[in-house]
DNA sequence: GAGATATCCGACCGAACTAGTCCATCTTAG
DNA sequence: CTAAGATGGACTAGTTCGGTCGGATATCTC
């Protein structure tokens, strides 16, 4: 169904919070968890993955916590997703994984990979910094944005 | 992990096949299943969903089968995905489903929805007709039978 | 009309994945 | 030393996904 996982949601929430509060030092996992009502242990795991993905720096010890490892503007949501959920792919197959039963007879692979590239581009185009600055004006929604055609149900 | 389901793969494969062989009449589910090595009963379910989604027409009876309900060029892969897997969404929440625990405190919602729109656009921009015209199929076609392309008037 | 070949539909099952939990260890400020 | 915090692995409940089964219905051919 193309939905991104809850862990990714948590990761984005946390990363956005860290970007917005970059001036303060490290922020503890517990503080993050309480702020957003996230199960602390689960969030801890997500944060660890982000550290392993070189997106966050961790500070152990009694005044420890997490902070961004690089500028929020240099960190895309695609980076966050990949750090948490592994390499993102829209098809089960990939350049080096031909394990799909239909691989040899499949002729929709190339178009789908092209679509995948466009999705990755869309994900890579939005930086964490853009997530951090938000809120005041309820989006300016210009005319002429037709999101999706709905199927008419009688 | 953002991957689209196997059923969607099957649906796209089938729909592409139907688009490429639109000149012949209805194609039976069994023929499709054998051509692509798909479990017949599962493919049948997928095809039924496509019928219910108004993308295919079905013909019952002894010479029955499936055919496209409209021109391949007027059918996007987004349509196919939605018919098979339901409305596609990248977040667990939506305009009318606020069931997420973080909904009230969530401030990444709007950016993510914007990304969702871009993904839907990418999916909607590719038509089934575009899938159909690609690579001369390495299928064991009888000699002389060439997949006919869609007639395009410039 | 009989039978063969199709689609159609719901129920079912096992495997895989997801979200969440528990616990045990390591690290560091105070 | 000790309390607060990170780290890591193992574990469980719940859900989804891929696949299967059985039966009902429609329609063509003979
Ligand atoms: S069906 Fe084609 S595109 Fe989908 S996973 Fe198999 S090979 Fe890749
Ligand atoms: S976290 Fe925010 S974006 Fe993700 S599902 Fe909940 S409300 Fe929607």
């Amino acid at each position: 169904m193309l939905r991104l996982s809850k862990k990714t949601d948590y990761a984005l929430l946390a990363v956005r919070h860290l970007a917005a509060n970059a001036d303060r030092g490290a922020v503890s996992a517990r503080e993050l968890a309480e702020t957003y009502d996230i199960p602390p242990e689960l969030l801890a795991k997500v944060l660890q993955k982000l550290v392993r993905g070189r997106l966050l720096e961790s500070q152990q010890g009694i005044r420890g916590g997490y902070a961004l490892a690089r500028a929020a503007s240099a960190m895309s949501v695609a980076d966050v997703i990949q750090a948490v959920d592994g390499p993102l792919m829209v098809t089960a197959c990939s350049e080096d994984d031909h394990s799909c039963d239909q691989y040899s007879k499949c002729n929709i692979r190339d178009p789908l990979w092209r679509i995948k590239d466009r999705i990755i581009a869309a994900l890579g185009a939005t930086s964490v910094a853009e997530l951090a600055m938000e809120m005041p004006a309820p989006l300016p929604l210009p005319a002429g944005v037709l999101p999706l055609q709905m199927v008419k149900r009688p």
Side-chain angles (χ1 to χ4, degrees), chain A residues 25-115:
Chain A
V27 179
S28 78
R30 193 169 45 77
E31 178 181 334
L32 260 341
E34 284 173 359
T35 308
Y36 297 102
D37 280 330
I38 302 175
E41 307 89 342
L42 184 52
L43 178 62
K45 291 217 167 307
V46 172
L47 293 171
Q48 286 164 34
K49 284 194 178 184
L50 290 174
V51 169
R52 254 172 288 175
R54 306 272 196 276
L55 292 178
L56 297 186
E57 303 273 2
S58 68
Q59 174 64 31
Q60 290 198 153
I62 189 167
R63 295 292 291 171
Y66 296 89
L68 294 189
R70 51 174 133 130
S73 53
M75 190 182 300
S76 72
V77 321
D79 295 331
V80 176
I81 295 178
Q82 298 197 42
V84 173
D85 272 342
L88 57 86
M89 47 183 60
V90 0
T91 56
C93 62
S94 69
E95 274 83 353
D96 38 43
D97 180 9
H98 304 182
S99 63
C100 173
D101 289 347
Q102 284 76 34
Y103 193 89
S104 58
K105 321 173 185 64
C106 176
N107 31 31
I108 59 173
R109 205 161 48 231
D110 287 359
L112 286 183
W113 284 357
R114 211 144 43 225
I115 289 178

Side-chain angles (χ1 to χ4, degrees), chain A residues 10-29:
Chain A
Y10 295 158
L12 288 172
L13 242 9
V15 152
R16 194 216 72 97
H17 187 96
L18 291 176
N21 303 32
D23 47 327
R24 307 168 45 200
V27 179
S28 78

Side-chain angles (χ1 to χ4, degrees), chain A residues 116-130:
Chain A
K116 181 202 66 177
D117 289 340
R118 297 187 57 177
I119 291 181
I120 292 182
L123 255 25
T126 312
S127 76
V128 171
E130 291 175 61

